[in-house]
Amino acid sequence: MNKGQVTITDIARELGISPSTVSKALHGHPDISVSTKVAVRDLAEKWNYKPDQIALSLQSGLSKIIGVIVPEIVHYFFSTVISGIEDLAHDSGYHVMFCQSNESYEREVKSVNTLLSCRVDGILVSLSKGTHEFDHFNKIRRNGIPLVFFDRICCEIETDRVVVDDEAGACEAVKHLINSGCRNIVHLSGPQYLQIGKNRKEGYLRAHDELNLPVDNNNIIRCDTPEETRLVVPELLKRANRPDGFFAVNDLTAAAAMSVIKESGLRVPEDILLVGFTSGMISDITSPTLSSVEQHGYQMGREAVRLLIDRLEKNRESPYQTVVIKTELVVKESSVCCNNKY
Amino acid sequence: MNKGQVTITDIARELGISPSTVSKALHGHPDISVSTKVAVRDLAEKWNYKPDQIALSLQSGLSKIIGVIVPEIVHYFFSTVISGIEDLAHDSGYHVMFCQSNESYEREVKSVNTLLSCRVDGILVSLSKGTHEFDHFNKIRRNGIPLVFFDRICCEIETDRVVVDDEAGACEAVKHLINSGCRNIVHLSGPQYLQIGKNRKEGYLRAHDELNLPVDNNNIIRCDTPEETRLVVPELLKRANRPDGFFAVNDLTAAAAMSVIKESGLRVPEDILLVGFTSGMISDITSPTLSSVEQHGYQMGREAVRLLIDRLEKNRESPYQTVVIKTELVVKESSVCCNNKY
DNA sequence: TTGAAAGCGCTAACAT
DNA sequence: ATGTTAGCGCTTTCAA
């Protein structure tokens, strides 16, 4: 037992046997006599022997490491996804190595190179906002390493994907408002160059379409931060045909809208109903509590890992899949009004 | 170029030279002729050669991996810490492998074993709530692997540490309330078996002590969730000597308290001042915006990595350090009142 | 200027 | 039942 951690050779030397015998004994190989097995295992236990993953990786050509690239961790949704990734990877005997792109293309490329250099068995990516070139992903594929996109997917690259069904979630939320009696619903929308902004607006439109309610384009407002909300919403409340419902692209905006509405003397949900789109525990601290569309990030993380491991361990050539994670409308107080007008 | 990624041997074979020559050429060894260097580098470039970290690790005995164990990622504070860890590690040429203990002792022990098995160069840990035995950490030390605790530290093990100065932050917050005129401040406190709960209460007490204000023990209330807040705070507001300030152990509780206060017809900050302790972007969405103590998790992550890498690359035997991350009182609207009573 | 050989820790095929 | 050998990809003497 020299410097660092105990090796198989240390044990072999101590017991006066060969390293390969130790290896076999540790693996319960039938060739090895019971007495040797016992001796080896006891000493391994006593010396706290742990197989060297690095040596195993080199030997087997498999690192048992999954590489993950996310735009940023400090973001409720991504942290739930990462949590799901870590949990399932761990339970499946994989380790997780992860990188933040910090929304930068250069850093995303660097991260890909890092992970490739680390010989990870597979890579999970959610695109950075700054990424408009995709050749680094082709490089991954050319190296024969499975790739799964999640949430912010890359349409230009054919591979496994996991996405949230934003549009369906938005549609369900808006239908809920309509069915609760709203006829003049404002959508506080996100930037349309982002998929989530676009999808959620589509859901808003489709809900109106499917329930045969006309859409007033003046009701679609670009506003997705508390600051913008404080500027924009007071104006909306002064309209002759005051909105009777709000569907916000995220909970932060919805919560800010709730504050503004209450300050103006109107009541939620009695006068105006409100639904957001999940971004943490915000929906519980507002008063009234905020109805919101839940995105199941944790489950998304697990699905991404599942797709990857399936490809790694089962059929590497099976056709690519796109898994859609269902959203779920969680109705709380802000959208339930007893004195329904209809 | 056989199956997986390109190796030094592939390049050597193609060029009809030996692997060791390729290695030297790639490293700009002076022995190697310029022409060979050029040829090697061109082909390496063309074939997208990336050194195999696994082989390098085995060879050098250094994995360039930092292992991280956190209770859970889905937690604003920890996600900021992790972000800081990843950023500095990345910039310093290290990779990050991470594990969630999910607040479970068993899983923390398993994670330690995993990281040991992966031969990480060092380990960063924030204790799980379920951990009351610490022998797995001694094991790390016995293997000669540097260990740094952050935030939820382990007092039983002598090693490098990074902590937040919770008490000072709490003290500053409460002093701010007192200096703003409050004379009857309620502390909505966390569980006292957790360090943060204890420290923040200590800060509350010290502020009173240092400003010569007596403490009414009835003003220290165990309450650290929105649910509890809705039960507890209405009662407090009915007291004959109604509180004129609240200091909450976290922002969720503070935000919930704000809602309750406003619903009771009282105003923040005109009637009651309010300060929380950061847990995300909550402080921006409340109305009025919430004053809060910022914990600088990102910086804490960077400090933890810095301590680790210093020990790894500089002096492994230098005395252990405890770095204290200063908190910072961020005053927003909830604690600034013009019509100050004093 | 280049190459051969050994070794990092481990496994597995092939002796003994 | 146990040992020997080779090799995973790379670096590093040492030899040519």
Side-chain angles (χ1 to χ4, degrees):
Chain A
M1 195 158 85
N2 42 359
K3 55 206 170 142
Q5 308 208 30
V6 184
T7 73
I8 234 169
T9 325
D10 295 324
I11 296 178
R13 194 162 30 225
E14 174 78 7
L15 262 34
I17 57 180
S18 82
S20 62
T21 305
V22 175
S23 170
K24 284 175 200 157
L26 254 13
H27 287 87
H29 192 110
D31 278 358
I32 306 299
S33 72
V34 181
S35 59
T36 327
K37 276 182 189 162
V38 170
V40 168
R41 284 175 177 168
D42 283 356
L43 188 58
E45 174 93 356
K46 182 177 156 210
W47 279 2
N48 215 294
Y49 166 80
K50 296 262 178 320
D52 184 331
Q53 282 301 328
I54 293 177
L56 284 177
S57 299
L58 185 62
Q59 214 271 133
S60 66
L62 296 172
S63 63
K64 285 283 177 178
I65 298 177
I66 295 176
V68 180
I69 305 177
V70 284
E72 46 178 354
I73 306 150
V74 187
H75 188 301
Y76 178 77
F77 178 67
F78 284 124
S79 72
T80 58
V81 179
I82 292 174
S83 178
I85 290 173
E86 209 277 330
D87 278 357
L88 184 56
H90 188 270
D91 292 347
S92 312
Y94 284 80
H95 317 296
V96 178
M97 180 167 287
F98 87 104
C99 307
Q100 296 190 79
S101 63
N102 284 331
E103 304 289 8
S104 136
Y105 167 72
E106 285 73 24
R107 191 134 170 207
E108 190 176 277
V109 174
K110 268 190 73 179
S111 298
V112 166
N113 288 333
T114 298
L115 295 177
L116 247 25
S117 204
C118 288
R119 300 297 190 264
V120 296
D121 290 342
I123 297 183
L124 267 29
V125 179
S126 191
L127 288 182
S128 97
K129 282 185 188 161
T131 301
H132 306 292
E133 288 248 30
F134 308 104
D135 207 46
H136 48 308
F137 298 124
N138 284 320
K139 211 158 67 184
I140 297 177
R141 307 282 299 287
R142 266 185 261 120
N143 280 311
I145 294 180
L147 174 65
V148 178
F149 284 110
F150 62 91
D151 192 50
R152 305 227 209 120
I153 63 170
C154 171
C155 297
E156 281 78 357
I157 308 248
E158 274 294 315
T159 188
D160 291 314
R161 297 169 183 151
V162 189
V163 292
V164 171
D165 193 355
D166 271 329
E167 196 207 311
C171 181
E172 189 186 355
V174 174
K175 280 183 173 175
H176 162 66
L177 288 174
I178 296 173
N179 289 331
S180 301
C182 296
R183 289 295 176 272
N184 187 16
I185 303 169
V186 164
H187 174 38
L188 301 174
S189 77
Q192 297 300 299
Y193 64 86
L194 278 188
Q195 209 57 39
I196 57 162
K198 209 151 71 183
N199 290 342
R200 292 173 194 181
K201 189 180 86 178
E202 284 307 318
Y204 170 88
L205 296 175
R206 185 155 64 83
H208 282 76
D209 188 48
E210 291 183 10
L211 295 183
N212 298 310
L213 203 67
V215 171
D216 178 351
N217 279 324
N218 294 321
N219 273 346
I220 300 179
I221 314 278
R222 255 299 275 106
C223 167
D224 66 343
T225 63
E227 296 72 47
E228 287 171 351
T229 306
R230 287 183 213 289
L231 293 175
V232 163
V233 173
E235 298 307 313
L236 300 175
L237 298 178
K238 288 182 202 139
R239 281 183 180 172
N241 59 338
R242 201 185 63 211
D244 54 6
F246 280 85
F247 168 59
V249 71
N250 61 51
D251 280 355
L252 251 60
T253 305
M258 185 187 289
S259 289
V260 172
I261 292 168
K262 291 197 296 184
E263 279 158 31
S264 79
L266 293 163
R267 294 160 305 167
V268 177
E270 291 82 353
D271 301 311
I272 296 180
L273 303 194
L274 199 55
V275 179
F277 221 102
T278 267
S279 26
M281 285 155 306
I282 292 167
S283 56
D284 285 326
I285 62 161
T286 58
S287 173
T289 54
L290 181 65
S291 298
S292 188
V293 179
E294 164 64 43
Q295 295 172 92
H296 300 301
Y298 182 85
Q299 196 201 330
M300 166 172 261
R302 292 186 72 101
E303 277 303 315
V305 171
R306 194 185 59 73
L307 282 179
L308 184 67
I309 294 184
D310 273 5
R311 191 163 296 280
L312 244 21
E313 301 186 347
K314 293 183 181 156
N315 186 355
R316 290 187 85 101
E317 308 303 329
S318 59
Y320 292 124
Q321 289 181 55
T322 295
V323 172
V324 177
I325 303 291
K326 288 265 167 289
T327 53
E328 182 189 357
L329 175 63
V330 179
V331 176
K332 296 190 180 167
E333 296 165 356
S334 71
S335 67
V336 175
C337 183
C338 306
N339 49 335
N340 199 306
K341 284 161 289 183
Y342 300 85
Chain B
M1 195 158 83
N2 44 359
K3 59 213 167 134
Q5 307 207 33
V6 184
T7 74
I8 235 170
T9 324
D10 296 324
I11 296 179
R13 194 163 30 224
E14 174 78 6
L15 261 32
I17 57 180
S18 83
S20 56
T21 305
V22 174
S23 171
K24 285 174 198 159
L26 253 13
H27 287 87
H29 192 109
D31 279 357
I32 306 298
S33 73
V34 181
S35 59
T36 326
K37 275 182 187 162
V38 171
V40 168
R41 284 174 176 169
D42 283 357
L43 188 58
E45 174 93 356
K46 182 176 155 208
W47 278 2
N48 216 295
Y49 167 79
K50 297 261 180 314
D52 184 329
Q53 283 299 331
I54 293 177
L56 284 177
S57 299
L58 185 61
Q59 217 269 135
S60 66
L62 296 173
S63 63
K64 284 282 176 179
I65 298 177
I66 294 175
V68 181
I69 306 177
V70 284
E72 47 178 353
I73 305 150
V74 187
H75 189 301
Y76 178 77
F77 177 68
F78 284 123
S79 72
T80 59
V81 178
I82 293 175
S83 177
I85 291 174
E86 209 279 329
D87 278 358
L88 183 56
H90 188 270
D91 292 348
S92 312
Y94 283 80
H95 317 296
V96 178
M97 181 167 287
F98 87 104
C99 307
Q100 297 189 79
S101 63
N102 284 330
E103 304 287 10
S104 136
Y105 167 72
E106 285 72 26
R107 197 142 160 197
E108 190 177 274
V109 174
K110 268 190 73 178
S111 298
V112 166
N113 288 333
T114 298
L115 295 177
L116 247 25
S117 204
C118 287
R119 300 296 190 265
V120 296
D121 290 342
I123 298 184
L124 267 29
V125 179
S126 191
L127 287 183
S128 97
K129 282 186 190 163
T131 300
H132 306 291
E133 287 247 31
F134 308 106
D135 206 46
H136 48 308
F137 298 125
N138 283 320
K139 210 157 68 183
I140 297 178
R141 306 281 299 287
R142 267 185 260 122
N143 280 311
I145 294 179
L147 173 65
V148 179
F149 285 110
F150 62 92
D151 193 48
R152 304 224 209 125
I153 63 170
C154 171
C155 297
E156 281 78 359
I157 307 249
E158 274 295 313
T159 188
D160 291 315
R161 298 169 182 152
V162 190
V163 293
V164 171
D165 194 354
D166 270 328
E167 197 208 311
C171 181
E172 189 186 355
V174 174
K175 280 183 173 175
H176 161 66
L177 287 175
I178 296 174
N179 288 331
S180 301
C182 297
R183 289 295 175 271
N184 187 16
I185 304 168
V186 164
H187 174 37
L188 301 175
S189 77
Q192 297 301 301
Y193 65 87
L194 278 188
Q195 210 56 39
I196 58 163
K198 210 151 69 184
N199 291 341
R200 292 174 194 181
K201 189 180 86 180
E202 285 307 319
Y204 170 86
L205 296 176
R206 185 155 64 83
H208 281 75
D209 188 48
E210 292 184 9
L211 295 184
N212 297 312
L213 204 67
V215 171
D216 178 351
N217 279 324
N218 294 321
N219 273 347
I220 300 179
I221 314 279
R222 255 300 276 106
C223 167
D224 66 343
T225 63
E227 296 72 46
E228 287 171 351
T229 306
R230 287 183 213 289
L231 293 176
V232 163
V233 173
E235 297 307 314
L236 299 175
L237 298 178
K238 286 183 204 140
R239 281 185 181 171
N241 59 339
R242 202 185 63 209
D244 53 6
F246 280 84
F247 168 59
V249 70
N250 61 49
D251 280 355
L252 250 61
T253 304
M258 185 187 290
S259 289
V260 172
I261 293 169
K262 290 197 297 183
E263 280 158 31
S264 79
L266 293 163
R267 294 161 304 166
V268 177
E270 291 82 352
D271 300 312
I272 295 179
L273 304 194
L274 199 55
V275 179
F277 221 102
T278 4
S279 26
M281 284 156 305
I282 291 167
S283 55
D284 285 325
I285 61 160
T286 58
S287 174
T289 54
L290 181 65
S291 298
S292 189
V293 179
E294 166 63 41
Q295 295 172 90
H296 301 301
Y298 182 85
Q299 197 201 327
M300 166 172 261
R302 292 186 70 101
E303 277 303 315
V305 171
R306 194 185 60 73
L307 282 179
L308 185 67
I309 294 183
D310 273 5
R311 191 163 295 280
L312 246 19
E313 302 186 347
K314 293 182 183 157
N315 186 357
R316 290 186 85 103
E317 308 304 328
S318 59
Y320 292 125
Q321 291 181 54
T322 295
V323 172
V324 177
I325 303 291
K326 287 264 165 291
T327 53
E328 182 188 357
L329 175 63
V330 180
V331 175
K332 296 190 180 167
E333 296 165 358
S334 72
S335 66
V336 175
C337 183
C338 306
N339 48 333
N340 199 307
K341 283 161 286 177
Y342 299 85

